[in-house]
């Protein structure tokens, strides 16, 4: 087993990894930018190194600074968390050349899944259903117009290297497609440094349901069931739950088999998520695989009792998975609200600032994964996620009541947060009955009450 791990990340996920390491008896090394000197992950780690100025390209994304800190500290492995360098095949390869284990899949698997156009081809070969669309990337307007005519409007133009809901545009006719192509390309180029785009049929009112997988280096690839992630704003998840209110044992079985096939097709190792869209008739379509731990992994942990981050570390160290597929059973219901430092009553404007009061909820079935505490500051340079509130209950009813109780207990002062939005969602009939899709929040909840 590893003796010492460097966490190439910040915020709640850095704290989450430190906790897993501590339980495994592994020493932890934090890295931080000049803006994060007083951050919680720095205080919690055994050692910490400043790796540069606030902008991420000069710190959390700056590979030479990370490798320098790793060498100085003498670590065996690097955990990339999510975001930043977690899906960067080059970084995974650089770690290898320095004799440092990258806690994630092999660079080749990251590369195939990282370009969604490539991933779609690999999945089709593996017999995993994908959303109808272009074979690979689309090169020009003529090709895009021809393919759109074949699959029928509306279509989506999507960045091949995309993530975080960026670089995606809807087109309902030919004129819109020409515009969508140009603007998706532009956003893809500026956000991901890669302007390649592909086309997908735009599915109306689908649900986003994903399957958690994990694989060791001994040829075992297992699944841990699904997560329902359809409550989204701008294609970013806000509430996740497990199981999905629309899941049946038969559909779960078919989706899980497809997800395991997807992982095996790229010789996957570690924790990963295969994302699908599901239509009203229970047809499911692969959209992408995230080759890292996901933000919403705790809901799976709560219903399976399996610590995904510890398993991730164990398999990276070469140990076999500590459980079999038969050992994976689901108990009760779990739900997560992503608490962001944003003002839901003012166009979700970011709300940085120093947290003056921080009183997280507690009691039965409540878990708070946070990157902050009283006195620490939410800085404007990074993601706005400040905490994840995750609750468990015997069934969905109890879970929702607990979530409402916990949201009411959570006191955060000094910044605005999305807590009031979650309180509103949890009162909605549609939500309570499990009737929603990926555009439900924007169309049914946000459309009316948003100030200009
Ligand atoms: P999850 O699928 O785990 O819910 P998100 O899409 O919310 O992931 O992304 C988690 C974090 O990683 C967010 O901070 C998001 O902005 C960032 N992220 C995801 N994919 C990319 C990418 N390809 N490039 C840059 N950042 C990304
Ligand atoms: P990202 O890498 O940015 O997470 P995804 O391909 O996973 O991009 O899609 C993000 C979200 O965009 C999905 O959860 C869904 O809400 C929406 N979406 C993506 N593809 C489609 C599609 N073909 N039809 C309808 N909605 C889609
Ligand atoms: Mg996605």
């Amino acid at each position: 087993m590893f003796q010492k791990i460097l966490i190439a990340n910040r915020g709640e996920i850095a704290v989450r990894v430190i906790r897993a390491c501590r339980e495994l008896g592994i020493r932890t090394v934090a890295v931080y930018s000049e803006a994060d000197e007083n951050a919680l992950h720095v205080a919690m780690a055994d050692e910490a190194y400043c790796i540069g100025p606030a902008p991420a390209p000069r710190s959390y994304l700056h590979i030479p600074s990370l490798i320098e800190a790793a060498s100085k500290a003498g670590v065996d492995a690097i955990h990339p968390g999510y975001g930043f360098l977690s899906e960067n095949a080059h970084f995974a390869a650089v770690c290898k050349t320095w004799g440092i284990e990258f806690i994630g899949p092999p660079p080749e698997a990251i590369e195939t899944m990282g370009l969604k156009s490539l991933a779609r081809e690999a999945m089709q070969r593996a017999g995993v259903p994908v959303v109808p669309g272009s074979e690979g990337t689309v090169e020009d307007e003529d090709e895009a117009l021809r393919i759109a005519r074949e699959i029928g409007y509306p279509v989506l133009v999507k960045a091949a290297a995309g993530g975080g809901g960026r670089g995606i545009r809807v087109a309902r006719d030919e004129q819109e497609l020409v515009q969508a192509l140009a603007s998706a390309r532009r956003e893809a180029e500026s956000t991901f440094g890669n302007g390649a785009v592909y086309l997908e049929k735009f599915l109306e009112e689908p649900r986003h349901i994903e399957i958690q997988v994990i694989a060791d280096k001994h040829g075992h690839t297992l699944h841990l069931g699904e997560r329902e992630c359809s409550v989204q704003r701008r294609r970013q998840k806000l509430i996740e739950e497990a199981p999905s209110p629309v899941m049946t044992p038969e559909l779960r079985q078919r989706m899980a088999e497809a997800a395991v096939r997807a992982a095996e097709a790229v010789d996957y190792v570690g924790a990963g998520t295969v994302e699908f869209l599901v239509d009203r008739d229970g047809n499911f379509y692969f959209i992408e695989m995230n080759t890292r731990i996901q933000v919403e992994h705790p809901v799976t942990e709560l219903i399976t009792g399996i610590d995904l981050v510890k398993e991730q570390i164990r398999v990276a160290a070469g140990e076999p998975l500590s459980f079999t597929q038969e050992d994976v059973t689901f108990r009760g219901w779990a739900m997560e609200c992503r608490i962001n430092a944003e003002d839901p009553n003012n166009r979700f404007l970011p709300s940085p600032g120093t947290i003056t009061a921080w009183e997280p909820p507690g009691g039965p079935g409540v878990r708070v994964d946070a990157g902050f505490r009283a006195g620490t500051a939410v800085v404007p340079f990074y993601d706005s996620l400040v905490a994840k509130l995750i609750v468990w209950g015997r069934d969905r009813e109890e879970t929702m009541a607990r979530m409402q109780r916990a949201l009411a207990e959570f006191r955060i002062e000094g910044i605005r947060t999305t807590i009031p939005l979650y309180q509103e969602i949890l009162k909605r009939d549609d939500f309570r009955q499990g009737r929603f899709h990926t555009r439900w929040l924007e169309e049914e909840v946000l459309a009316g009450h948003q100030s200009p």
Side-chain angles (χ1 to χ4, degrees):
M1 184 40 82
F2 305 128
Q3 303 292 308
K4 211 188 215 187
I5 291 178
L6 180 142
I7 299 111
N9 216 300
R10 63 184 300 282
E12 71 83 20
I13 194 62
V15 171
R16 171 71 189 88
V17 176
I18 291 169
R19 287 181 169 141
C21 289
R22 200 141 286 160
E23 290 181 26
L24 290 167
I26 298 169
R27 292 181 57 78
T28 53
V29 179
V31 292
Y32 61 97
S33 73
E34 284 162 12
D36 273 341
E37 218 176 309
N38 299 315
L40 182 59
H41 75 285
V42 176
M44 282 182 68
D46 296 313
E47 281 172 59
Y49 294 84
C50 182
I51 48 164
R58 300 179 61 193
S59 51
Y60 297 105
L61 290 170
H62 194 247
I63 296 177
S65 306
L66 288 161
I67 295 293
E68 193 189 324
S71 310
K72 252 194 230 156
V75 302
D76 314 298
I78 294 184
H79 195 302
Y82 54 71
F84 294 129
L85 294 169
S86 61
E87 294 180 276
N88 185 312
H90 170 65
F91 180 55
V94 169
C95 289
K96 206 175 219 171
T97 64
W98 283 81
I100 301 166
E101 186 72 29
F102 174 82
I103 301 177
E108 299 75 28
I110 302 179
E111 206 155 335
T112 306
M113 290 302 187
L115 272 188
K116 296 198 226 171
S117 44
L118 271 185
R120 279 169 57 84
E121 291 175 44
M123 292 305 98
Q124 280 172 290
R125 278 197 302 276
V128 175
V130 304
V131 183
S134 54
E135 283 284 335
T137 54
V138 293
E139 300 311 318
D140 53 37
E141 277 178 18
D142 288 345
E143 190 186 355
L145 289 165
R146 181 176 52 76
I147 295 164
R149 222 168 288 140
E150 275 165 35
I151 60 178
Y153 289 91
V155 296
L156 276 187
V157 182
K158 299 176 77 172
R166 311 287 304 277
I168 301 180
R169 296 286 183 282
V170 191
R172 298 195 175 270
D173 56 40
E174 299 208 334
Q175 205 184 333
E176 280 186 20
L177 179 55
V178 172
Q179 288 167 4
L181 267 178
S183 78
R185 260 194 217 292
R186 230 178 298 122
E187 190 176 27
E189 188 60 61
S190 67
T191 315
F192 310 111
N194 179 348
V197 296
Y198 65 104
L199 288 195
E200 265 179 16
K201 172 101 188 150
F202 179 62
L203 303 180
E204 305 277 0
E205 310 198 342
R207 298 179 80 113
H208 174 122
I209 301 180
E210 58 190 32
I211 303 283
Q212 175 72 54
V213 297
I214 189 158
D216 63 19
K217 296 178 179 174
H218 305 272
H220 308 110
T221 305
L222 310 182
H223 76 86
L224 283 88
E226 81 279 7
R227 290 186 288 261
E228 163 74 62
C229 310
S230 302
V231 178
Q232 303 183 352
R233 176 178 172 268
R234 296 196 168 164
R235 305 190 171 94
Q236 294 228 32
K237 302 156 189 167
L238 290 178
I239 299 181
E240 303 98 347
E241 58 186 297
S244 163
V246 295
M247 192 49 71
T248 62
E250 184 267 339
L251 179 59
R252 178 180 294 126
Q253 188 61 30
R254 286 196 293 130
M255 289 182 71
E257 274 168 14
V260 167
R261 258 201 323 277
E264 286 176 342
V266 296
D267 297 318
Y268 201 79
V269 174
T273 299
V274 184
E275 296 190 332
F276 296 100
L277 294 180
V278 181
D279 69 18
R280 283 229 184 80
D281 304 320
N283 300 304
F284 61 89
Y285 307 92
F286 171 90
I287 46 170
E288 67 159 339
M289 179 170 190
N290 289 323
T291 55
R292 54 172 164 87
I293 193 76
Q294 268 187 308
V295 175
E296 58 273 22
H297 75 275
V299 295
T300 299
E301 295 186 321
L302 292 190
I303 64 161
T304 60
I306 291 167
D307 185 319
L308 277 164
V309 179
K310 287 204 291 199
E311 287 302 323
Q312 221 189 354
I313 295 171
R314 285 199 190 101
V315 300
E319 292 184 10
L321 284 165
S322 71
F323 56 91
T324 66
Q325 191 63 65
E326 290 68 46
D327 295 332
V328 180
T329 54
F330 308 114
R331 186 166 162 265
W333 209 282
M335 192 176 280
E336 169 179 286
C337 292
R338 297 191 189 193
I339 303 192
N340 293 328
E342 292 169 2
D343 185 354
N345 294 314
N346 190 9
R347 292 172 296 152
F348 292 83
L349 280 184
S351 177
T354 296
I355 296 173
T356 50
W358 179 268
E359 287 171 30
V366 175
R367 165 173 167 182
V368 178
D369 280 18
F372 297 84
R373 60 181 173 186
T376 59
V378 177
V379 294
F381 306 99
Y382 318 108
D383 211 88
S384 61
L385 183 70
V386 290
K388 301 184 306 203
L389 172 56
I390 315 112
V391 305
W392 180 91
R394 276 170 311 175
D395 51 31
R396 196 164 185 267
E397 273 300 308
E398 184 177 53
T399 301
M400 289 190 293
R402 233 170 222 170
M403 183 61 89
Q404 288 177 298
R405 188 266 293 170
L407 284 165
E409 277 179 31
F410 212 153
R411 191 172 146 244
I412 302 173
E413 279 170 22
I415 56 166
R416 291 190 195 278
T417 77
T418 45
I419 288 176
L421 172 67
Y422 297 124
Q423 291 178 305
E424 184 177 342
I425 294 173
L426 274 140
K427 285 189 207 142
R428 292 278 174 147
D429 259 6
D430 286 350
F431 180 78
R432 299 196 71 84
Q433 286 160 27
R435 284 198 315 253
F436 48 80
H437 54 82
T438 55
R439 296 205 332 275
W440 171 81
L441 177 68
E442 286 174 312
E443 288 173 0
E444 304 295 324
V445 184
L446 298 177
H449 88 358
Q450 206 148 315
S451 45

